[in-house]
Amino acid sequence: MEKGIKRVCAAGMVLGLSAGMLAGCGGGAGQGEPKSIRIGVSVYDQYDTFVSQMMTDFNEYAARREEETGVVISIEIYNAAGSQTTQNSQVEEMLDDGCDVVCVNLVDRTEPTTIIDMAEKNQVPVIFFNRELVEEDLERWNQLYYVGAKAFESGVMEGEIAADSFKEHPEVDRNGDGIFQYIVLEGEAGHQDAIVRTEYAVSTIVENGVEVEKLGYAIANWNRAQAQTKMTQMLSEYGTEIELVIANNDDMALGAIDALKASEVDREEWPVIVGIDGTDVGLAAVAAGEMAGTVYNDKKGQAQAMLDLAYELSVDGDLTELDLEDGKYIRLPYAKVGPDEVETYME
Ligand code: BGC
């Protein structure tokens, strides 16, 4: 086994290669004895906590599948480092290298055309993941797939956690006016999860009978450091008037916590903080009582579904077992994680 081999390419770092032995390109198992398959992956940003944890799960599961099937699974993971142009070149390289399937975490989910055209020309299927392109783009060719989650569900669950906290712990209504004063820390503008999560989180709190008042919001691009900066600014403006922080992901919730820790706000005066993802650091914050809860974004399930799909596509196998929605989509459900559930998720 040659695990975690690293090589550097012009466009950025290749994170890892091969769940097992290095195989020749395009060794698709096809009919007869399966031998080897080659999967190319490009992530929009290797420093994104959720995506990098998903990639770890992807590699681990590939190693397991390799043992089970006896098929050598080679994986190349490229970091597009926030550039769609870089990502397009990476996909071109993967296709030249003879990958059997490419998995793309789009940098710009509105710009998949170059990748789709190249893949179709080479007749190599593409699995897009986590950053959802619009349906019309996914319909451009019959070998395009998407693996992700049900965005609205995460917003609903986050809203339920917030509403329950307000109802079950009257002290979180610091000024006692019966209204939950909140701020939002949003992910990238234009990302399907950012738009949908904010909308559903807030509407769910209201539907659960809790009146809300929005004090402010800031875009922090899924990023902890940016969220800390934005939260620091909002703290200087609103101070302890903020009773609730709705963060579109755990990293930004943690950025808010960093800001609170660096501020003069006493721990007892902290707002309720809710996140989404259930990353290792997010779960630790729930366990420590710093976050009221998070919503588990099933990175393991998504990684496994993507590998299973990539495997079947590479060996011209059977897709019927995979439960594809409209023949193209795999969307894993979310789950609420509060103090009672957190241990289970921390394993
Ligand atoms: C995750 C975020 C992540 C983003 C990247 C979202 O689904 O919840 O944590 O930064 O995807 O695209």
Side-chain angles (χ1 to χ4, degrees), residues 44 48 50-51 105 130-131 188 191 193 197 222 248-249 276-277 297:
Y44 90 103
D48 181 288
F50 174 79
V51 172
N105 180 220
N130 167 262
R131 299 163 71 86
E188 284 164 279
H191 189 301
D193 288 340
R197 285 175 183 173
W222 306 119
N248 281 170
N249 77 345
I276 293 176
D277 272 344
N297 190 358

Side-chain angles (χ1 to χ4, degrees), residues 167-339:
K167 292 198 259 186
E168 288 160 20
H169 306 281
E171 71 280 5
V172 305
D173 181 14
R174 307 253 169 253
N175 61 3
D177 66 353
I179 301 170
F180 218 0
Q181 273 80 18
Y182 74 94
I183 59 131
V184 187
L185 289 167
E186 291 193 359
E188 284 164 279
H191 189 301
Q192 84 281 349
D193 288 340
I195 303 165
V196 171
R197 285 175 183 173
T198 303
E199 184 186 327
Y200 280 89
V202 174
S203 62
T204 302
I205 301 174
V206 175
E207 275 161 27
N208 276 268
V210 176
E211 205 179 323
V212 293
E213 180 189 351
K214 181 176 181 174
L215 297 177
Y217 82 98
I219 293 175
N221 295 311
W222 306 119
N223 181 283
R224 182 168 179 163
Q226 288 184 37
Q228 177 175 2
T229 307
K230 298 287 165 76
M231 181 70 184
T232 304
Q233 285 162 3
M234 287 194 276
L235 275 173
S236 68
E237 199 170 343
Y238 308 109
T240 50
E241 279 174 58
I242 305 171
E243 295 171 342
L244 168 67
V245 177
I246 302 172
N248 281 170
N249 77 345
D250 284 354
D251 262 17
M252 295 188 293
L254 290 158
I257 292 170
D258 294 338
L260 284 159
K261 285 182 176 165
S263 76
E264 286 176 355
V265 179
D266 288 340
R267 178 70 188 81
E268 302 72 54
E269 299 275 300
W270 280 18
V272 171
I273 301 164
V274 285
I276 293 176
D277 272 344
T279 51
D280 296 346
V281 272
L283 293 173
V286 175
E290 294 174 342
M291 271 165 72
T294 185
V295 177
Y296 188 68
N297 190 358
D298 189 357
K299 52 186 180 301
K300 199 168 252 174
Q302 290 167 47
Q304 298 191 354
M306 186 159 86
L307 198 278
D308 287 340
L309 179 56
Y311 183 91
E312 296 304 335
L313 290 168
S314 301
V315 301
D316 295 328
D318 183 9
L319 301 188
T320 50
E321 297 273 293
L322 297 176
D323 221 7
L324 292 172
E325 228 176 274
D326 298 331
K328 284 173 178 290
Y329 291 93
I330 299 181
R331 287 202 180 90
L332 277 288
Y334 286 93
K336 277 191 265 187
V337 186

